[in-house]
Amino acid sequence: AVRAARAGALFRKGAARRTWEAGRVIPAAGRAAAARGEKAWCEAERGETPAAQCWCSYDGLGGPLCDQPHEAFCLNQCSGRGICSRTGGFCRCDEGFFGVDCSLTVERGGVVLHPNHAARRARGGGPSPRLFVYDLPEHTSLILQYRAGRNVCTPRAFTFSNTTDWNGGYAYTVDVALHEALLRSPHRVASPDDADFFYIPTYLSCAILPVYDYTGPADYQRGFPMRPVTAMRMLSDAVDRVRALGPHWDRSAGRDHIVLLSHDEGGCWAPRGVAANAIILSHWGRMDAQPHSSSPARLRGGGGGGAAATLALDVNPVILRLTRDSMAELLTSCAIGYGATKAGYLSGSQIRSLAGVVFNVFLPAMLLTSVASTVAEQQAGAALAVMPIAAWAQVAVGASVASVSLALLRLPRRSSAGRGVSVLSSFGNAGVLPLLFVSSLFRGAAQEATRRRATSLVAMFLLGWSPLFWTLGYALLTGHAALSPAAAAAPAEPATSV
């Protein structure tokens, strides 16, 4: 009856993720096997070999009927000061000891590591940096008790003969491996007041893959959402627990706290408070010399002669969203201006006056103050001086592209269309729109310094770009050699539409 109940639980776990089809977890012996005297798995008695044997899923149990106990995995095997539960993952600590691995005790009224811990054996109380590991059983050892099999989540397990079986080929065991190593590290301290850094252990990879469908009741698991959402909620719950335990997270806004995000998405789904300040460890990401934060998607298609063509797309969804917001702001402003003009609220002269105030007063004042504050704070350095040169280089490269484009399109350089192509290719977009993108990318008080620095760099770029645009650009666009006082006083020609 016990084996049948255990097998039924195993079937429910397998069926929850559609790992096994119905009737395959506990196969019947069949008529032919029954005629030979063979028994099904649930029917066999101890010492008998069943006709069909189930895989012994649970840690700590082995043998033909999965009912013979052996050593199960616990963190540091309870530091020799407790008993590992029968199916692993949870330590029942000896009297006077506590913690997920029974490594903590109380001496002289204070919490300390057990006497044989590496940190207490080290001279001077352990080397620097000093690390405090939060004790979060609901996010660590409890998760281990719900894992689907003994060979998942943990870096090692025990065979039926109690020999160590290293799980070296499974990358997602790093959550448990790092936690176990830090718990016994000589850098560990028992009091958070003595720590330089703080580690928040959460078995996110274990919860994502083998435990996803049956982690048990928890605040972070509501409605069985997508697995990254469950893990994100689990990490947010752990941070809330850490903040409730003491002031150390709030004291630094999490800047000295370390989290491990080891699954495929890396740190992409980290909660906002963690992603903003905490130290994130991740083995997932770009390995380039200059990596980008987005992940590349590669589209492969057949080319002529069977050659494969590869197109690499490296698009950051955050940048796409901010680009969308910036364009929405620009289009909204244009729509409001157009609507006000059509309704008669604004005349042409009023629009020109407003534009003159913005471009001749507000914009120069904003650019000047941004440059001045950046120079005063010494944030940009030599980059400010380089930006005008970069503007000249852009114009030179753009002019070369314009020459090639005119040749390909067979457009005369002095025609209206040819002048438009020359100006657009040479000068591109270096007006107000980059400032809109800067404003959208770096919003909020936390990024105010970054926004000022970016704005000042744009301002210095415009310092080199504007003289060229209003001389060379004007000449290209209108066909005049320069905008002389006489030309400025002359009647205006029909404007070229660009």
Side-chain angles (χ1 to χ4, degrees):
V2 173
R3 289 199 304 275
R6 187 178 301 130
L10 176 62
F11 171 76
R12 287 193 298 274
K13 289 187 175 185
R17 293 193 61 84
R18 297 179 176 84
T19 307
W20 296 291
E21 298 176 4
R24 290 190 57 194
V25 174
I26 313 172
R31 293 182 179 180
R36 295 192 299 269
E38 297 178 1
K39 296 182 178 180
W41 189 77
C42 292
E43 300 167 337
E45 300 295 336
R46 178 170 293 186
E48 296 178 334
T49 301
Q53 181 178 349
C54 280
W55 171 60
C56 298
S57 174
Y58 295 111
D59 194 7
L61 293 172
L65 302 179
C66 301
D67 60 352
Q68 299 179 34
H70 62 79
E71 185 75 11
F73 173 87
C74 275
L75 289 167
N76 291 319
Q77 296 312 112
C78 306
S79 305
R81 286 162 172 79
I83 299 175
C84 187
S85 62
R86 183 175 180 181
T87 54
F90 177 75
C91 287
R92 292 182 173 87
C93 299
D94 296 341
E95 185 178 356
F97 295 91
F98 58 97
V100 290
D101 67 340
C102 304
S103 58
L104 297 171
T105 186
V106 175
E107 293 181 4
R108 300 176 182 176
V111 177
V112 296
L113 299 168
H114 68 76
N116 293 329
H117 194 280
R120 293 191 64 174
R121 297 200 309 267
R123 293 183 178 179
S128 295
R130 294 162 297 180
L131 179 72
F132 178 77
V133 181
Y134 285 102
D135 202 66
L136 302 175
E138 293 182 358
H139 304 81
T140 54
S141 56
L142 176 64
I143 300 298
L144 289 182
Q145 295 174 76
Y146 282 99
R147 70 191 193 275
R150 69 176 186 86
N151 63 335
V152 294
C153 296
T154 61
R156 57 182 177 81
F158 292 94
T159 65
F160 183 57
S161 58
N162 283 338
T163 58
T164 301
D165 181 18
W166 291 101
N167 196 358
Y170 194 59
Y172 300 136
T173 64
V174 67
D175 293 6
V176 181
L178 180 61
H179 185 206
E180 190 175 46
L182 294 179
L183 285 172
R184 63 173 182 265
S185 169
H187 293 267
R188 184 185 174 194
V189 293
S191 172
D193 296 330
D194 299 330
D196 300 309
F197 295 95
F198 304 80
Y199 182 67
I200 304 176
T202 52
Y203 295 168
L204 303 181
S205 288
C206 185
I208 280 179
L209 190 59
V211 185
Y212 165 57
D213 279 335
Y214 32 89
T215 52
D219 292 338
Y220 51 80
Q221 187 204 28
R222 298 187 295 273
F224 299 101
M226 294 170 54
R227 64 188 197 181
V229 178
T230 297
M232 180 185 68
R233 291 175 178 174
M234 179 178 174
L235 182 53
S236 296
D237 187 78
V239 171
D240 291 342
R241 176 61 178 161
V242 163
R243 296 182 67 187
L245 290 173
H248 304 90
W249 173 279
D250 292 332
R251 184 181 61 190
S252 65
R255 290 182 178 87
D256 49 6
H257 283 61
I258 304 169
V259 297
L260 173 64
L261 303 177
S262 62
H263 215 271
D264 297 350
E265 296 84 1
C268 297
W269 45 261
R272 181 174 299 176
V274 174
N277 296 318
I279 302 169
I280 296 178
L281 305 180
S282 178
H283 69 331
W284 182 95
R286 297 285 294 272
M287 300 300 292
D288 318 46
Q290 296 179 343
H292 300 286
S293 60
S294 58
S295 56
R298 299 191 177 274
L299 307 178
R300 300 183 182 274
T310 301
L311 175 63
L313 302 177
D314 193 3
V315 181
N316 190 323
V318 176
I319 300 299
L320 285 178
R321 177 176 58 81
L322 295 173
T323 301
R324 178 200 64 199
D325 294 345
S326 299
M327 292 302 298
E329 291 179 5
L330 179 64
L331 294 176
T332 301
S333 301
C334 293
I336 292 174
Y338 177 78
T341 303
K342 295 293 291 184
Y345 295 114
L346 290 175
S347 64
S349 60
Q350 290 174 324
I351 292 176
R352 286 191 293 273
S353 298
L354 288 174
V357 171
V358 170
F359 281 95
N360 296 325
V361 179
F362 293 150
L363 184 61
M366 187 264 291
L367 296 177
L368 176 62
T369 55
S370 297
V371 172
S373 63
T374 302
V375 172
E377 295 171 4
Q378 299 180 350
Q379 289 186 346
L384 285 175
V386 173
M387 293 310 294
I389 302 174
W392 302 335
Q394 176 192 300
V395 172
V397 173
S400 300
V401 173
S403 299
V404 175
S405 300
L406 292 174
L408 293 175
L409 298 173
R410 298 182 180 180
L411 290 174
R413 183 180 295 274
R414 294 184 177 276
S415 66
S416 177
R419 293 198 302 270
V421 170
S422 297
V423 172
L424 291 177
S425 298
S426 300
F427 294 93
N429 172 36
V432 180
L433 196 56
L435 296 175
L436 290 177
F437 283 106
V438 167
S439 176
S440 295
L441 283 171
F442 308 113
R443 288 179 173 173
Q447 294 184 305
E448 175 64 22
T450 305
R451 187 194 62 76
R452 289 201 307 269
R453 181 174 182 270
T455 303
S456 64
L457 292 174
V458 173
M460 295 303 292
F461 185 92
L462 292 175
L463 187 64
W465 179 88
S466 297
L468 290 180
F469 180 76
W470 294 115
T471 54
L472 177 61
Y474 179 84
L476 289 173
L477 193 60
T478 63
H480 296 159
L483 184 59
S484 62
E493 296 183 0
T496 302
S497 176
V498 179

